[in-house]
């Protein structure tokens, strides 16, 4: 299974602890392809939710229904970045378009104070 940066996958995030996102859900892979090519045993992701919050522009990046093959409008949860074992990834859904990749990168820089 070849994982690439900025792909959307279905992942099993159970069990969850505290405020972590759990259950089987879509995730965005954000880990560099330098690690993905090794292959590295884990992947850094942002969970995706269908609980869309229109007024949360820094902590979330909005994806419209049909974009990157998602079947509902959803949000990438930038504040929930985590590493998961690759065994949790079950199926590739699609790849994020360039304009949303740029927004994800920008929001990660803001949330992690990387400038």
């Amino acid at each position: 299974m070849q994982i690439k940066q900025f792909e959307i996958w279905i992942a099993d995030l159970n069990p969850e602890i505290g405020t972590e996102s759990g259950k089987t859900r879509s995730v965005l892979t954000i880990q560099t392809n330098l690690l993905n090519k090794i292959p590295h045993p884990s992947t850094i992701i942002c969970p995706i939710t269908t609980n869309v919050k229109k007024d949360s522009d820094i902590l979330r990046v909005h994806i419209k229904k049909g974009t990157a093959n998602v079947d509902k409008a959803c949000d990438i949860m930038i504040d929930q970045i985590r590493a998961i074992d690759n065994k949790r990834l079950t199926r590739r859904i699609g790849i994020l378009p360039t304009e949303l990749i740029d927004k994800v990168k920008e929001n990660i820089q803001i949330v992690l104070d990387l400038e």
Side-chain angles (χ1 to χ4, degrees), residues 54-56 94 115:
K54 296 281 186 191
D55 58 345
S56 188
E115 285 198 270

Side-chain angles (χ1 to χ4, degrees), residues 11-113:
D12 181 358
L13 300 182
N14 288 315
E16 64 188 87
I17 298 174
T19 61
E20 292 176 351
S21 294
K23 70 183 179 181
T24 299
R25 66 170 64 237
S26 300
V27 299
L28 178 70
T29 57
I30 59 171
Q31 177 170 283
T32 177
N33 284 328
L34 294 173
L35 288 177
N36 293 335
K37 288 177 186 176
I38 295 177
H40 195 266
S42 62
T43 301
I44 301 168
I45 59 100
C46 287
I48 297 174
T49 183
T50 55
N51 182 10
V52 175
K53 303 283 187 189
K54 296 281 186 191
D55 58 345
S56 188
D57 289 335
I58 294 173
L59 298 180
R60 296 187 176 206
V61 173
H62 309 296
I63 305 175
K64 293 179 183 173
K65 178 182 176 179
T67 302
N69 298 324
V70 297
D71 58 2
K72 294 180 182 176
C74 51
D75 283 348
I76 302 165
M77 296 184 284
I78 302 299
D79 62 326
Q80 293 287 322
I81 294 171
R82 66 186 268 200
I84 61 172
D85 191 285
N86 290 344
K87 293 175 187 158
R88 290 184 178 270
L89 298 169
T90 59
R91 182 170 52 95
R92 184 184 348 248
I93 300 295
I95 188 154
L96 214 57
T98 303
E99 64 273 8
L100 291 180
I101 290 171
D102 292 342
K103 184 67 175 164
V104 166
K105 288 178 175 181
E106 178 183 329
N107 287 13
I108 288 172
Q109 284 183 328
I110 293 168
V111 168
L112 299 180
D113 194 20

